[in-house]
Short mmCIF file of all heavy atoms in Angstrom, two decimals:
data_model
loop_
_atom_site.label_atom_id
_atom_site.label_comp_id
_atom_site.label_asym_id
_atom_site.label_seq_id
_atom_site.Cartn_x
_atom_site.Cartn_y
_atom_site.Cartn_z
N ALA L 1 18.07 -46.41 60.06
CA ALA L 1 17.89 -46.78 61.56
C ALA L 1 18.71 -45.87 62.42
O ALA L 1 18.21 -45.20 63.40
CB ALA L 1 18.46 -48.16 61.78
N MET L 2 19.98 -45.65 62.08
CA MET L 2 20.89 -44.69 62.92
C MET L 2 20.34 -43.26 62.76
O MET L 2 20.33 -42.51 63.74
CB MET L 2 22.26 -44.72 62.39
CG MET L 2 23.23 -43.74 63.11
SD MET L 2 23.50 -44.11 64.83
CE MET L 2 24.63 -45.45 64.73
N SER L 3 19.84 -42.91 61.59
CA SER L 3 19.30 -41.53 61.36
C SER L 3 18.15 -41.26 62.33
O SER L 3 18.04 -40.13 62.87
CB SER L 3 18.87 -41.37 59.90
OG SER L 3 19.86 -41.70 59.01
N LEU L 4 17.35 -42.20 62.52
CA LEU L 4 16.14 -41.95 63.38
C LEU L 4 16.57 -41.80 64.86
O LEU L 4 16.05 -40.92 65.61
CB LEU L 4 15.16 -43.30 63.34
CG LEU L 4 14.27 -43.15 62.06
CD1 LEU L 4 13.62 -44.52 61.70
CD2 LEU L 4 13.02 -42.15 62.33
N PHE L 5 17.51 -42.66 65.34
CA PHE L 5 18.00 -42.53 66.69
C PHE L 5 18.73 -41.25 66.97
O PHE L 5 18.56 -40.58 67.96
CB PHE L 5 18.78 -43.75 67.11
CG PHE L 5 17.92 -44.95 67.49
CD1 PHE L 5 17.67 -45.94 66.53
CD2 PHE L 5 17.47 -45.05 68.81
CE1 PHE L 5 16.95 -47.02 66.87
CE2 PHE L 5 16.70 -46.20 69.16
CZ PHE L 5 16.36 -47.20 68.22
N LEU L 6 19.54 -40.87 65.96
CA LEU L 6 20.24 -39.57 66.06
C LEU L 6 19.23 -38.42 66.13
O LEU L 6 19.43 -37.41 66.83
CB LEU L 6 21.20 -39.42 64.82
CG LEU L 6 22.45 -40.32 64.84
CD1 LEU L 6 23.24 -40.17 63.60
CD2 LEU L 6 23.42 -39.94 66.08
N SER L 7 18.22 -38.51 65.27
CA SER L 7 17.25 -37.55 65.22
C SER L 7 16.53 -37.24 66.63
O SER L 7 16.40 -36.10 67.04
CB SER L 7 16.10 -37.87 64.18
OG SER L 7 15.10 -36.95 64.29
N ARG L 8 16.26 -38.29 67.34
CA ARG L 8 15.70 -38.25 68.60
C ARG L 8 16.72 -37.68 69.58
O ARG L 8 16.42 -36.87 70.51
CB ARG L 8 15.15 -39.56 69.06
CG ARG L 8 14.55 -39.46 70.53
CD ARG L 8 13.70 -40.78 70.76
NE ARG L 8 14.57 -41.92 70.95
CZ ARG L 8 13.98 -43.14 71.29
NH1 ARG L 8 12.78 -43.33 71.39
NH2 ARG L 8 14.91 -44.08 71.42
N ALA L 9 17.98 -38.02 69.47
CA ALA L 9 19.02 -37.73 70.40
C ALA L 9 19.27 -36.13 70.34
O ALA L 9 19.44 -35.53 71.42
CB ALA L 9 20.23 -38.45 70.23
N VAL L 10 19.43 -35.58 69.12
CA VAL L 10 19.78 -34.20 69.02
C VAL L 10 18.57 -33.28 69.19
O VAL L 10 18.71 -32.09 69.53
CB VAL L 10 20.46 -33.88 67.68
CG1 VAL L 10 21.70 -34.77 67.47
CG2 VAL L 10 19.48 -34.06 66.54
N GLY L 11 17.31 -33.76 69.03
CA GLY L 11 16.15 -33.02 69.32
C GLY L 11 15.86 -31.97 68.29
O GLY L 11 16.57 -31.81 67.29
N PRO L 12 14.81 -31.19 68.50
CA PRO L 12 14.36 -30.27 67.46
C PRO L 12 15.32 -29.05 67.30
O PRO L 12 15.31 -28.47 66.16
CB PRO L 12 13.06 -29.63 68.04
CG PRO L 12 13.05 -30.01 69.53
CD PRO L 12 13.90 -31.23 69.65
N LYS L 13 16.24 -28.81 68.20
CA LYS L 13 17.19 -27.74 67.99
C LYS L 13 18.48 -28.23 67.45
O LYS L 13 19.47 -27.46 67.21
CB LYS L 13 17.47 -27.00 69.37
CG LYS L 13 16.29 -26.26 69.86
CD LYS L 13 16.52 -25.40 71.04
CE LYS L 13 15.35 -24.72 71.55
NZ LYS L 13 15.68 -23.97 72.86
N GLY L 14 18.54 -29.61 67.25
CA GLY L 14 19.85 -30.24 66.70
C GLY L 14 19.78 -30.44 65.22
O GLY L 14 18.68 -30.19 64.61
N ARG L 15 20.73 -31.09 64.64
CA ARG L 15 20.84 -31.22 63.24
C ARG L 15 21.62 -32.53 62.97
O ARG L 15 22.71 -32.72 63.57
CB ARG L 15 21.48 -30.11 62.56
CG ARG L 15 21.53 -30.17 60.95
CD ARG L 15 22.19 -28.96 60.37
NE ARG L 15 22.23 -29.05 58.92
CZ ARG L 15 23.14 -28.34 58.22
NH1 ARG L 15 24.07 -27.56 58.83
NH2 ARG L 15 23.23 -28.47 56.96
N VAL L 16 21.06 -33.36 61.98
CA VAL L 16 21.78 -34.52 61.58
C VAL L 16 22.05 -34.44 60.06
O VAL L 16 21.07 -34.15 59.34
CB VAL L 16 21.05 -35.85 61.87
CG1 VAL L 16 21.78 -37.07 61.33
CG2 VAL L 16 20.74 -36.00 63.35
N LEU L 17 23.23 -34.60 59.71
CA LEU L 17 23.57 -34.68 58.25
C LEU L 17 23.95 -36.22 57.93
O LEU L 17 24.87 -36.70 58.45
CB LEU L 17 24.86 -33.74 57.94
CG LEU L 17 24.67 -32.34 58.21
CD1 LEU L 17 26.08 -31.63 58.11
CD2 LEU L 17 23.60 -31.60 57.49
N SER L 18 23.04 -36.71 57.08
CA SER L 18 23.30 -38.09 56.74
C SER L 18 23.62 -38.26 55.31
O SER L 18 22.86 -38.08 54.34
CB SER L 18 21.88 -38.94 57.03
OG SER L 18 22.02 -40.27 56.75
N TYR L 19 24.91 -38.73 55.02
CA TYR L 19 25.33 -38.96 53.62
C TYR L 19 25.19 -40.35 53.24
O TYR L 19 25.59 -41.28 53.98
CB TYR L 19 26.87 -38.47 53.53
CG TYR L 19 27.07 -37.02 53.39
CD1 TYR L 19 26.85 -36.14 54.49
CD2 TYR L 19 27.49 -36.45 52.21
CE1 TYR L 19 27.10 -34.74 54.39
CE2 TYR L 19 27.76 -35.10 52.12
CZ TYR L 19 27.44 -34.27 53.15
OH TYR L 19 27.69 -32.88 52.98
N GLU L 20 24.88 -40.56 51.94
CA GLU L 20 24.73 -41.93 51.39
C GLU L 20 25.17 -41.87 50.01
O GLU L 20 24.75 -40.92 49.13
CB GLU L 20 23.34 -42.40 51.51
CG GLU L 20 22.98 -43.71 50.84
CD GLU L 20 23.87 -44.88 51.39
OE1 GLU L 20 23.92 -45.12 52.54
OE2 GLU L 20 24.52 -45.46 50.51
N ILE L 21 26.02 -42.81 49.52
CA ILE L 21 26.51 -42.88 48.12
C ILE L 21 25.55 -43.52 47.16
O ILE L 21 25.50 -43.27 45.95
CB ILE L 21 27.86 -43.49 48.03
CG1 ILE L 21 28.53 -43.33 46.74
CG2 ILE L 21 27.82 -45.01 48.46
CD1 ILE L 21 29.98 -43.78 46.76
N ARG L 22 24.68 -44.49 47.73
CA ARG L 22 23.74 -45.37 46.80
C ARG L 22 22.34 -44.68 46.75
O ARG L 22 21.74 -44.38 47.87
CB ARG L 22 23.72 -46.73 47.37
CG ARG L 22 24.97 -47.51 47.02
CD ARG L 22 24.71 -48.99 47.39
NE ARG L 22 23.55 -49.52 46.89
CZ ARG L 22 23.36 -50.85 46.77
NH1 ARG L 22 24.23 -51.71 47.22
NH2 ARG L 22 22.21 -51.34 46.34
N ASP L 23 21.96 -44.42 45.56
CA ASP L 23 20.55 -43.84 45.50
C ASP L 23 19.45 -44.67 46.17
O ASP L 23 18.53 -44.06 46.66
CB ASP L 23 20.30 -43.66 43.91
CG ASP L 23 18.95 -42.93 43.65
OD1 ASP L 23 18.95 -41.81 43.83
OD2 ASP L 23 17.93 -43.58 43.23
N ASP L 24 19.44 -45.99 45.95
CA ASP L 24 18.39 -46.76 46.54
C ASP L 24 18.40 -46.68 48.03
O ASP L 24 17.26 -46.66 48.71
CB ASP L 24 18.48 -48.23 45.97
CG ASP L 24 19.76 -48.91 46.23
OD1 ASP L 24 20.75 -48.17 46.44
OD2 ASP L 24 19.95 -50.12 46.16
N HIS L 25 19.63 -46.77 48.66
CA HIS L 25 19.65 -46.65 50.09
C HIS L 25 19.21 -45.26 50.56
O HIS L 25 18.45 -45.17 51.59
CB HIS L 25 21.01 -47.00 50.59
CG HIS L 25 21.48 -48.33 50.28
ND1 HIS L 25 22.76 -48.84 50.58
CD2 HIS L 25 20.88 -49.43 49.84
CE1 HIS L 25 22.97 -50.09 50.31
NE2 HIS L 25 21.79 -50.52 49.82
N HIS L 26 19.64 -44.27 49.86
CA HIS L 26 19.22 -42.90 50.17
C HIS L 26 17.74 -42.73 50.14
O HIS L 26 17.21 -42.16 51.15
CB HIS L 26 19.95 -41.94 49.11
CG HIS L 26 19.41 -40.52 49.19
ND1 HIS L 26 19.90 -39.58 50.09
CD2 HIS L 26 18.59 -39.90 48.30
CE1 HIS L 26 19.31 -38.50 49.88
NE2 HIS L 26 18.55 -38.58 48.77
N ASN L 27 17.09 -43.20 49.15
CA ASN L 27 15.62 -43.03 49.08
C ASN L 27 14.88 -43.80 50.13
O ASN L 27 13.94 -43.42 50.69
CB ASN L 27 15.17 -43.42 47.73
CG ASN L 27 15.55 -42.49 46.61
OD1 ASN L 27 15.70 -41.29 46.90
ND2 ASN L 27 15.86 -43.05 45.37
N LEU L 28 15.38 -45.01 50.39
CA LEU L 28 14.82 -45.93 51.51
C LEU L 28 14.87 -45.30 52.84
O LEU L 28 13.98 -45.26 53.61
CB LEU L 28 15.44 -47.32 51.46
CG LEU L 28 14.77 -48.29 52.51
CD1 LEU L 28 13.34 -48.52 52.26
CD2 LEU L 28 15.52 -49.66 52.40
N ALA L 29 16.09 -44.71 53.17
CA ALA L 29 16.23 -44.14 54.43
C ALA L 29 15.32 -42.91 54.60
O ALA L 29 14.68 -42.74 55.68
CB ALA L 29 17.68 -43.61 54.61
N LYS L 30 15.18 -42.03 53.57
CA LYS L 30 14.26 -41.02 53.59
C LYS L 30 12.74 -41.38 53.79
O LYS L 30 12.11 -40.79 54.53
CB LYS L 30 14.36 -40.13 52.33
CG LYS L 30 15.63 -39.28 52.22
CD LYS L 30 15.50 -38.15 51.22
CE LYS L 30 15.16 -38.70 49.80
NZ LYS L 30 15.04 -37.54 48.81
N LYS L 31 12.47 -42.48 53.11
CA LYS L 31 11.05 -43.02 53.18
C LYS L 31 10.78 -43.48 54.59
O LYS L 31 9.71 -43.25 55.19
CB LYS L 31 10.90 -44.07 52.09
CG LYS L 31 9.49 -44.75 52.02
CD LYS L 31 9.36 -45.74 50.92
CE LYS L 31 7.98 -46.27 50.93
NZ LYS L 31 7.90 -47.31 49.88
N ASN L 32 11.66 -44.29 55.15
CA ASN L 32 11.44 -44.88 56.52
C ASN L 32 11.28 -43.77 57.57
O ASN L 32 10.55 -43.76 58.46
CB ASN L 32 12.57 -45.76 56.86
CG ASN L 32 12.35 -47.14 56.16
OD1 ASN L 32 11.32 -47.52 55.75
ND2 ASN L 32 13.50 -47.87 56.04
N TYR L 33 12.18 -42.65 57.40
CA TYR L 33 12.19 -41.57 58.30
C TYR L 33 10.89 -40.77 58.14
O TYR L 33 10.22 -40.40 59.23
CB TYR L 33 13.35 -40.63 57.94
CG TYR L 33 13.42 -39.34 58.77
CD1 TYR L 33 13.80 -39.50 60.11
CD2 TYR L 33 13.19 -38.08 58.23
CE1 TYR L 33 13.92 -38.25 60.88
CE2 TYR L 33 13.23 -36.92 59.04
CZ TYR L 33 13.61 -37.01 60.24
OH TYR L 33 13.74 -35.88 61.07
N ARG L 34 10.41 -40.56 56.95
CA ARG L 34 9.11 -39.81 56.75
C ARG L 34 7.98 -40.68 57.31
O ARG L 34 7.01 -40.06 57.87
CB ARG L 34 8.93 -39.53 55.25
CG ARG L 34 9.82 -38.50 54.68
CD ARG L 34 9.28 -37.93 53.36
NE ARG L 34 9.01 -39.01 52.37
CZ ARG L 34 9.92 -39.52 51.43
NH1 ARG L 34 11.04 -38.83 51.41
NH2 ARG L 34 9.55 -40.42 50.57
N HIS L 35 7.98 -41.95 57.10
CA HIS L 35 6.81 -42.75 57.54
C HIS L 35 6.74 -42.71 59.15
O HIS L 35 5.69 -42.66 59.68
CB HIS L 35 7.03 -44.22 57.10
CG HIS L 35 6.61 -44.30 55.70
ND1 HIS L 35 6.58 -45.51 55.00
CD2 HIS L 35 6.08 -43.50 54.69
CE1 HIS L 35 6.20 -45.39 53.79
NE2 HIS L 35 5.93 -44.17 53.58
N TRP L 36 7.93 -42.77 59.73
CA TRP L 36 7.93 -42.80 61.25
C TRP L 36 7.43 -41.35 61.73
O TRP L 36 6.59 -41.29 62.61
CB TRP L 36 9.27 -42.99 61.76
CG TRP L 36 9.35 -42.83 63.29
CD1 TRP L 36 9.98 -41.81 63.89
CD2 TRP L 36 8.87 -43.75 64.27
NE1 TRP L 36 9.86 -41.90 65.28
CE2 TRP L 36 9.11 -43.13 65.53
CE3 TRP L 36 8.19 -44.94 64.32
CZ2 TRP L 36 8.85 -43.81 66.78
CZ3 TRP L 36 7.89 -45.59 65.40
CH2 TRP L 36 8.21 -44.95 66.64
N ARG L 37 7.91 -40.25 61.06
CA ARG L 37 7.49 -38.91 61.50
C ARG L 37 5.99 -38.74 61.27
O ARG L 37 5.20 -38.21 62.25
CB ARG L 37 8.25 -37.89 60.71
CG ARG L 37 9.70 -37.62 61.05
CD ARG L 37 10.21 -36.38 60.44
NE ARG L 37 9.63 -35.31 61.16
CZ ARG L 37 8.93 -34.34 60.36
NH1 ARG L 37 8.69 -34.42 59.18
NH2 ARG L 37 8.39 -33.31 61.04
N ALA L 38 5.44 -39.25 60.16
CA ALA L 38 4.03 -39.09 59.93
C ALA L 38 3.17 -39.81 60.94
O ALA L 38 2.11 -39.23 61.38
CB ALA L 38 3.70 -39.47 58.41
N ALA L 39 3.58 -41.04 61.10
CA ALA L 39 2.78 -41.91 62.13
C ALA L 39 2.86 -41.31 63.51
O ALA L 39 1.87 -41.24 64.27
CB ALA L 39 3.32 -43.28 62.06
N TRP L 40 4.05 -40.80 63.85
CA TRP L 40 4.25 -40.31 65.23
C TRP L 40 3.30 -39.05 65.46
O TRP L 40 2.73 -38.87 66.49
CB TRP L 40 5.70 -39.85 65.37
CG TRP L 40 6.07 -39.27 66.78
CD1 TRP L 40 5.99 -37.94 67.07
CD2 TRP L 40 6.59 -39.90 67.87
NE1 TRP L 40 6.37 -37.73 68.39
CE2 TRP L 40 6.72 -38.95 68.86
CE3 TRP L 40 6.85 -41.25 68.15
CZ2 TRP L 40 7.14 -39.27 70.16
CZ3 TRP L 40 7.30 -41.63 69.37
CH2 TRP L 40 7.42 -40.57 70.39
#
């Protein structure tokens, strides 16, 4: 959730580094981000 809002805030010339210690959370965050981008 936060990754998506940060992505929009920094824009195409910005960068977000998102660290996660749990593999399942890491994969879910990436999946939700990819799905939103693809649909957009």
Side-chain angles (χ1 to χ4, degrees):
M2 177 66 77
S3 308
L4 280 161
F5 279 96
L6 288 173
S7 173
R8 182 167 67 179
V10 303
K13 295 184 179 180
R15 183 185 180 198
V16 179
L17 301 172
S18 183
Y19 277 74
E20 174 58 56
I21 191 172
R22 286 187 50 165
D23 183 72
D24 53 342
H25 294 177
H26 169 77
N27 290 329
L28 180 59
K30 287 200 301 182
K31 183 178 180 181
N32 284 335
Y33 178 72
R34 287 197 307 264
H35 281 182
W36 174 257
R37 286 194 68 241
W40 179 273

